[in-house]
Amino acid sequence: MSRIIYIPVSVVLITAFAANAGTFEKGGWSASGCGSMPETPVVDSSSVDAFNRSVGKINEWQKQIQTYHDCMIKEANADNAAINKSATAEQARINEAVEKVNKEAAAGKQKVEQASSPSSSGSSFPSLVPSPGGGMGGQPGY
């Protein structure tokens, strides 16, 4: 039953990544939905007219680079949010699994201890391992 619950969550997370994901290659991230960064104009100071044309190109480029910048920031923030959400959900899933197994082991230990005859001496049971995350209150461990 619990696997049925996790499948839709996984689909939602995959959809979130597909809709917002930039490209991460060789240790560098780049936006995938913003096009290419506008090419920086060259300042031509060979004459007054050439310089004035350059200033016009610079003004247009500044509008283009601002649009690119805004798009890139929006995409990066969306990717960060999707990664955080996914990592937090995975951490919760892991913690739930560990807690479930530890409860089952504790119940099994109690059952075995109750079933053990009082004449058995020195029976020893291993202690349970605490949940991952070191008790950080559900905070992501990354």
Side-chain angles (χ1 to χ4, degrees):
M1 177 70 178
S2 64
R3 286 192 175 168
I4 294 171
I5 294 170
Y6 293 123
I7 291 172
V9 170
S10 299
V11 171
V12 169
L13 293 174
I14 290 169
T15 303
F17 277 120
N20 300 313
T23 304
F24 193 76
E25 292 182 25
K26 299 178 184 176
W29 179 91
S30 62
S32 62
C34 301
S36 58
M37 188 171 105
E39 199 169 316
T40 307
V42 176
V43 176
D44 184 352
S45 59
S46 62
S47 70
V48 172
D49 287 339
F51 181 75
N52 287 338
R53 283 191 299 275
S54 294
V55 169
K57 289 178 183 179
I58 290 169
N59 289 336
E60 182 58 34
W61 174 80
Q62 286 177 333
K63 292 174 191 173
Q64 293 171 355
I65 200 74
Q66 184 64 50
T67 300
Y68 176 81
H69 178 266
D70 293 346
C71 177
M72 186 264 315
I73 293 298
K74 182 178 178 182
E75 191 170 317
N77 287 338
D79 283 355
N80 284 334
I83 290 166
N84 185 37
K85 184 176 181 179
S86 178
T88 300
E90 183 67 6
Q91 182 182 29
R93 191 174 74 82
I94 290 167
N95 288 338
E96 288 171 9
V98 170
E99 288 175 22
K100 179 182 177 195
V101 168
N102 283 345
K103 284 179 185 177
E104 290 172 0
K109 178 181 175 184
Q110 185 177 16
K111 182 178 178 182
V112 170
E113 286 175 340
Q114 289 174 352
S116 295
S117 67
S119 62
S120 322
S121 61
S123 65
S124 173
F125 297 98
S127 62
L128 300 176
V129 178
S131 298
M136 294 292 288
Q139 297 298 318
Y142 53 89

